[in-house]
Amino acid sequence: TTDLTGIRPRIARSWRRCAAMKVDPAADPEFDLEARIDEQTRQCLEPFVREVERLAFDAGGDVTVITPEGVLTHDLTPALVDRYQQGRILLESVSGTNGDGTALEDGHGGWVYSQEHYREDMMTTACYTVLIRDPFRDNVRACVSLTLPEMVISASDARAVGLVMEGMAAKTVRELAKRLASREQKLFVEYLRMTRRYKAGAVLATDGKNFTLSDPALEFLREDDFAAVSGYAQHALRMRSEAEHELTLSGDRPVRLTISLPGDVSDPLGAILVVKPLAPKRNGPATPDRALAHLPVEVLTAAKEFAPDWVGDNAGYRKALAAAEARLLAEASRHSQELDETRRAAESASDELAASR
């Protein structure tokens, strides 16, 4: 048991969390090379990161940018590739107490001084981390850390340095608010255009977080249907690809779902969904939860992330996701059996060959 008397309360709480999670302070780093911050946040951050970088470099420090998932990314800091490995995971559960992981865990930024880090390889520097939050929804869009040698912080006013970082975060959030408001207006204009085009049709628009629905959509779609179409919308936004699907909604109602992505293909404003009824197919009686029963597992998972309020208490959704995961497990088991049979056949052939010699 370590005596935490004299340790700052925030750091003591973090150390206790790390101990409870059995974080190994000497473990090899873990990496996620796919994680990135979104394009809008990157564009808003860039000028302010450059401004803070000039101050940091003069003092022998640096500035790093971390994704909301706690992964270090060099999209804005390519000069640091040789110093910090791209994709390193800095969550407390992986890297212990550190500026970024602890800020994400606490929900607010602050200082983590050199000897307060959980890992020995982080104990040469102090860092101040700020969270860049969405101005409308308050979710974290990025973390930015200023890292300085301990001797520099000892000779400086740490509060003044922290205020510089907080000012940078505030400027970034204001710039995000301007850009996002403009994007939402453009998406809404596109939604209005589609509702005029399909006056009696079910039209939906989403920016990846919220939905706007036409009156016909509210009348036509039921609870299970929202879970299905939201999953397809999220999947299309992730893949940056427009799509068209034929599916059967609850009540055995076949429809065609058309998903368009207005704006730049690499950074769409959102997704516009149009749901059109099709002639009923005579392939057996209606079955419950038909809207969800045959969706791919990745679409069902996207629906859970995209619209948790809709699918959280949805028995049909849970049943469909369990069935999809069971299909994946069955396929994985079958594939494993095939590999075992192939290996046994190869070993048998090798033994026969050895005996013949």
Side-chain angles (χ1 to χ4, degrees):
T1 302
T2 302
D3 183 11
L4 299 182
T5 304
I7 304 298
R8 291 195 295 148
R10 177 178 183 241
I11 301 304
R13 290 193 297 270
S14 176
W15 286 3
R16 290 191 184 98
R17 288 195 298 266
C18 296
M21 292 184 287
K22 295 181 172 55
V23 177
D24 182 357
D28 292 335
E30 296 182 18
F31 298 90
D32 177 1
L33 299 180
E34 302 298 323
R36 293 290 186 275
I37 59 173
D38 67 274
E39 183 63 20
Q40 285 297 313
T41 304
R42 190 193 68 79
Q43 291 178 6
C44 292
L45 266 176
E46 185 167 13
F48 306 118
V49 168
R50 297 288 170 263
E51 181 181 335
V52 177
E53 270 184 338
R54 288 194 292 271
L55 301 174
F57 291 165
D58 289 343
D62 48 58
V63 179
T64 52
V65 180
I66 290 83
T67 71
E69 297 78 27
V71 180
L72 178 65
T73 175
H74 290 314
D75 291 346
L76 288 173
T77 55
L80 302 180
V81 171
D82 294 334
R83 187 179 302 183
Y84 305 113
Q85 289 179 278
Q86 166 78 22
R88 181 170 179 175
I89 300 175
L90 296 171
L91 293 173
E92 271 193 354
S93 58
V94 175
S95 297
T97 304
N98 67 88
D100 307 294
T102 302
L104 285 169
E105 190 69 33
D106 288 342
H108 61 82
W111 279 107
V112 173
Y113 298 105
S114 59
Q115 297 301 310
E116 293 177 336
H117 287 88
Y118 203 74
R119 292 179 61 97
E120 292 185 3
D121 58 0
M122 295 182 174
M123 289 185 177
T124 59
T125 58
C127 54
Y128 191 95
T129 302
V130 291
L131 301 181
I132 308 300
R133 292 186 175 275
D134 188 287
F136 302 119
R137 302 176 188 90
D138 204 40
N139 59 293
V140 176
R141 298 179 71 107
C143 306
V144 182
S145 285
L146 170 64
T147 302
L148 295 170
E150 183 70 17
M151 59 183 297
V152 173
I153 290 300
S154 299
S156 306
D157 185 346
R159 290 174 298 178
V161 176
L163 286 174
V164 170
M165 292 297 292
E166 294 294 343
M168 181 275 296
K171 291 178 182 178
T172 303
V173 171
R174 285 198 295 270
E175 183 63 25
L176 268 172
K178 294 177 185 176
R179 288 174 178 255
L180 293 175
S182 174
R183 289 171 61 85
E184 290 181 351
Q185 289 173 2
K186 292 177 181 177
L187 179 62
F188 189 65
V189 168
E190 183 65 18
Y191 162 76
L192 292 178
R193 188 182 71 81
M194 295 298 283
T195 55
R196 287 194 294 268
R197 181 176 176 182
Y198 302 99
K199 293 182 179 180
V203 180
L204 307 86
T206 178
D207 60 357
K209 300 293 182 182
N210 297 317
F211 266 102
T212 301
L213 294 82
S214 65
D215 288 339
L218 287 170
E219 295 174 1
F220 186 70
L221 299 176
R222 303 170 189 171
E223 183 182 19
D224 283 357
D225 306 333
F226 280 117
V229 299
S230 67
Y232 276 116
Q234 179 73 331
H235 190 62
L237 286 170
R238 283 180 176 175
M239 301 302 294
R240 297 289 194 267
S241 176
E242 297 183 340
E244 187 172 287
H245 306 278
E246 288 190 7
L247 61 151
T248 305
L249 299 182
S250 56
D252 203 33
R253 297 172 297 157
V255 299
R256 176 177 288 111
L257 173 64
T258 304
I259 304 174
S260 58
L261 304 179
D264 187 355
V265 175
S266 63
D267 184 27
L269 300 170
I272 302 291
L273 295 77
V274 179
V275 183
K276 300 178 182 178
L278 296 176
K281 295 180 181 179
R282 299 183 179 179
N283 57 352
T287 57
D289 307 319
R290 181 72 69 84
L292 299 167
H294 303 295
L295 295 185
V297 66
E298 62 269 17
V299 173
L300 289 162
T301 304
K304 183 177 181 180
E305 297 175 1
F306 196 43
D309 293 339
W310 286 342
V311 303
D313 298 323
N314 188 317
Y317 166 81
R318 294 196 301 271
K319 177 181 176 182
L321 181 57
E325 290 174 340
R327 291 199 302 270
L328 282 183
L329 288 174
E331 291 174 4
S333 176
R334 185 168 60 253
H335 182 61
S336 177
Q337 291 175 359
E338 291 173 355
L339 288 177
D340 289 341
E341 291 174 0
T342 302
R343 186 175 63 255
R344 285 195 295 269
E347 291 173 351
S348 176
S350 177
D351 292 342
E352 292 176 0
L353 180 60
S356 66
R357 291 178 178 176

